[in-house]
């Protein structure tokens, strides 16, 4: 029988058990259903709440500074933002990094830097709710607040599909 002697070990084990219990109890995240609502703070201190963005097409991108494919995807997200913002697309970059300094270091290497909100989910509450299985993970929410598309990882060949899905959602009437 293993004895747990350090508080750090106990905290880690409790954290893993809480994560697993949330993940295993979570309802399946289904396309066509309402996207789980959340509120997070961006780098300027402004609180962003998903439900307040109804009427817009929302792209939520979960990323981390240590993620190689995230480095490739972020400039594409900047391009999407520049192309579709005026048509009603809102991009939310959700970092799951532990430290703000890692986020800033990652973003400082980008030119141009993202103009869309970068949110920090330091406690990593959203990945189990959104059932994030890979980095990056991207979710497209329609104007009515429903999850319509999701993508795991990123490769250059995904770009046309992203644009096609965004254009479809932007062209739809809110129902």
């Amino acid at each position: 029988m293993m004895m747990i002697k350090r508080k750090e070990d106990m905290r880690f084990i409790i954290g893993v058990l809480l994560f697993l219990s949330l993940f295993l109890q979570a309802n399946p995240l289904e396309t066509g259903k309402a996207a789980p609502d959340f509120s997070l703070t961006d780098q300027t201190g402004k609180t962003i709440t998903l439900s307040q963005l109804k009427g817009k097409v929302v792209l939520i991108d979960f990323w981390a500074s240590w993620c190689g494919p995230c480095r490739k995807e972020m400039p594409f997200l900047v391009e999407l933002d520049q192309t579709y913002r005026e048509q009603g697309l809102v991009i939310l970059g959700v970092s799951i990094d532990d430290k703000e300094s890692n986020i800033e270091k990652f973003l400082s290497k980008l030119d141009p830097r993202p103009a869309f909100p970068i949110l920090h989910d330091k406690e990593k509450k959203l990945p189990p709710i959104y059932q994030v299985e890979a980095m990056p993970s991207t979710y497209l929410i329609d104007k009515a607040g429903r999850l319509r598309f999701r993508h795991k990882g990123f490769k250059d060949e995904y770009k046309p599909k992203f644009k096609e899905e965004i254009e479809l959602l932007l062209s739809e009437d809110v129902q």
Side-chain angles (χ1 to χ4, degrees):
M1 177 179 231
M2 182 177 89
M3 296 294 292
I4 300 170
K5 295 182 180 181
R6 295 182 6 192
K7 285 183 183 179
E8 294 84 15
D9 293 338
M10 181 60 90
R11 286 187 190 131
F12 175 77
I13 290 169
I14 290 170
V16 169
L17 291 173
L18 284 172
F19 175 81
L20 288 174
S21 70
L22 284 172
F23 186 75
L24 294 173
Q25 291 176 9
N27 293 327
L29 189 63
E30 297 179 37
T31 55
K33 302 280 182 177
D37 198 17
F38 64 86
S39 293
L40 287 173
T41 304
D42 71 9
Q43 291 191 304
T44 67
K46 180 181 176 187
T47 299
I48 307 285
T49 301
L50 180 61
S51 60
Q52 292 176 335
L53 298 173
K54 275 195 178 168
K56 305 267 186 192
V57 172
V58 181
L59 183 154
I60 304 169
D61 186 70
F62 290 92
W63 65 278
S65 62
W66 44 261
C67 164
C70 299
R71 284 194 229 21
K72 291 182 179 180
E73 183 192 42
M74 194 61 74
F76 177 61
L77 295 178
V78 170
E79 176 188 326
L80 290 175
D81 183 52
Q82 292 170 342
T83 303
Y84 297 107
R85 176 186 291 240
E86 295 298 318
Q87 296 172 51
L89 176 68
V90 174
I91 297 177
L92 302 175
V94 180
S95 171
I96 62 160
D97 278 278
D98 292 325
K99 298 178 182 177
E100 290 271 349
S101 60
N102 291 341
I103 298 169
E104 184 52 39
K105 186 175 179 182
F106 177 93
L107 295 173
S108 70
K109 294 178 182 176
L110 298 174
D111 185 28
R113 191 178 168 110
F116 53 84
I118 300 295
L119 310 173
H120 188 195
D121 186 11
K122 185 177 179 179
E123 288 82 32
K124 298 168 187 59
K125 291 180 181 177
L126 289 181
I129 294 169
Y130 274 83
Q131 300 173 1
V132 173
E133 298 174 6
M135 281 293 152
S137 284
T138 307
Y139 299 79
L140 283 164
I141 314 299
D142 69 15
K143 295 174 187 175
R146 297 178 301 237
L147 172 65
R148 293 287 295 279
F149 302 103
R150 62 179 153 190
H151 301 273
K152 297 177 194 174
F154 179 76
K155 295 180 181 176
D156 282 336
E157 53 265 26
Y158 296 177
K159 290 178 179 182
K161 188 73 171 164
F162 273 63
K163 289 179 180 181
E164 177 185 319
E165 292 168 353
I166 289 167
E167 289 172 5
L168 170 70
L169 296 179
L170 288 170
S171 70
E172 292 177 344
D173 291 327
V174 178
Q175 296 180 10

